[in-house]
Amino acid sequence: MPKIKIVPAILSPNFKTINKDLKEIEPYSDLLQVDIMDNIFVPNKTPQAEQLKSLDTKIPLDIHLMVKEPSHNYIMSFINANPELKINNITVHYEACSNIEKTLKFIKKNNIKAGVAINPKTPLEKIKNILDKADIVLIMTVEPGFSGQGFIKEALSKATELRRLKPDMDIEVDGGINDDTAALAAKAGANMFVANSYIFKAKDKAKAIKKLRAAVE
Ligand code: DX5
């Protein structure tokens, strides 16, 4: 089983306060997910690569592109946005890419881990033939687009099956994660836990992360 990673997520953050929040969570966070939306693949839009210029953090980034047909140039705009930041992975959606293999390969060519995300209704079968091309599989536990939605428990059967097929794979869950749902996801086989509301709406963000970690370890 790969290492547990707690991944706070930001989605259209308040740029006046975000760096202060990031300082607070930095010692407790394994990665920071930056959610990127295009209002085409999902019905919501966030700032694009330019937002990375405003971020000041040592937490390595997990960039989640909820974007239709992300081109090589578009992906490069994130890689080149801010040389002070470290990018751990860029994750693209199976449903949004007409040549997912090519996109994953392009990400990896830039020495960045490649993630493939699947929506709650997308069966694991759809990505079985490309698992060897990905470093991370992101199993969405809400329909992508908004934070603060309810956890879709049915998606966890995919984590169980994937863990059986790939004992060493990074399996990430995202959407509706709190200490209860994260514990269920960990039991199912996930090792990476993304949370926005649970962490950023908490009075004590560091404490929320510690509680999440305790629930899955
Ligand atoms: C959903 C996003 C999630 C979101 C999670 O479209 O991909 O990363 O920020 O938010 P919570 O934790 O509030 O469900």
Side-chain angles (χ1 to χ4, degrees):
M1 174 85 160
K3 195 177 160 273
I4 297 278
K5 295 184 188 90
I6 305 293
V7 188
I10 57 175
L11 192 166
S12 297
N14 178 343
F15 291 106
K16 290 207 176 84
T17 53
I18 188 64
N19 287 328
K20 189 175 148 277
D21 289 348
L22 294 179
K23 265 270 139 346
E24 195 180 326
I25 64 168
E26 201 167 85
Y28 312 99
S29 307
D30 296 293
L31 296 172
L32 175 71
Q33 184 174 90
V34 182
D35 279 327
I36 308 290
M37 304 183 182
D38 65 351
N39 209 20
I40 300 171
F41 178 61
V42 289
N44 193 5
K45 182 140 179 138
T46 59
Q48 301 293 302
E50 76 276 1
Q51 68 171 293
L52 298 189
K53 292 195 175 82
S54 324
L55 297 182
D56 177 15
T57 184
K58 289 196 182 65
I59 314 171
L61 304 185
D62 167 341
I63 297 182
H64 178 196
L65 298 179
M66 286 163 271
V67 169
K68 180 104 188 135
E69 299 296 353
S71 67
H72 292 180
N73 277 346
Y74 180 81
I75 290 168
M76 283 314 293
S77 71
F78 289 87
I79 296 174
N80 292 329
N82 183 347
E84 301 294 318
L85 299 173
K86 177 166 170 37
I87 300 178
N88 177 72
N89 64 281
I90 296 181
T91 294
V92 293
H93 270 261
Y94 163 78
E95 303 86 357
C97 299
S98 50
N99 191 338
I100 188 88
E101 251 189 87
K102 198 171 156 204
T103 308
L104 295 172
K105 211 165 148 189
F106 180 75
I107 295 167
K108 283 166 80 106
K109 214 175 82 189
N110 286 283
N111 290 321
I112 290 173
K113 288 184 183 160
V116 57
I118 49 173
N119 283 342
K121 292 194 189 80
T122 303
L124 187 65
E125 278 62 41
K126 299 277 185 194
I127 58 162
K128 273 192 180 155
N129 61 334
I130 52 135
L131 287 177
D132 291 342
K133 310 283 182 301
D135 301 296
I136 299 170
V137 174
L138 169 53
I139 295 175
M140 293 302 299
T141 44
V142 297
E143 290 296 337
F146 301 93
S147 59
Q149 304 183 76
F151 182 75
I152 302 174
K153 201 168 134 199
E154 290 69 27
L156 291 184
S157 58
K158 291 185 271 189
T160 308
E161 193 187 347
L162 183 55
R163 180 57 69 217
R164 192 175 52 75
L165 290 172
K166 294 268 170 196
D168 300 325
M169 182 124 210
D170 272 323
I171 303 178
E172 185 172 32
V173 284
D174 178 10
I177 294 293
N178 57 39
D179 49 340
D180 292 328
T181 56
L184 292 176
K187 240 189 224 130
N191 67 297
M192 294 174 70
F193 306 87
V194 178
N196 171 259
S197 314
Y198 182 77
I199 294 169
F200 286 98
K201 289 217 158 86
K203 222 188 241 150
D204 185 337
K205 298 175 191 64
K207 199 167 153 194
I209 296 176
K210 285 185 206 160
K211 206 167 163 201
L212 204 52
R213 199 181 289 283
V216 299
E217 269 178 358

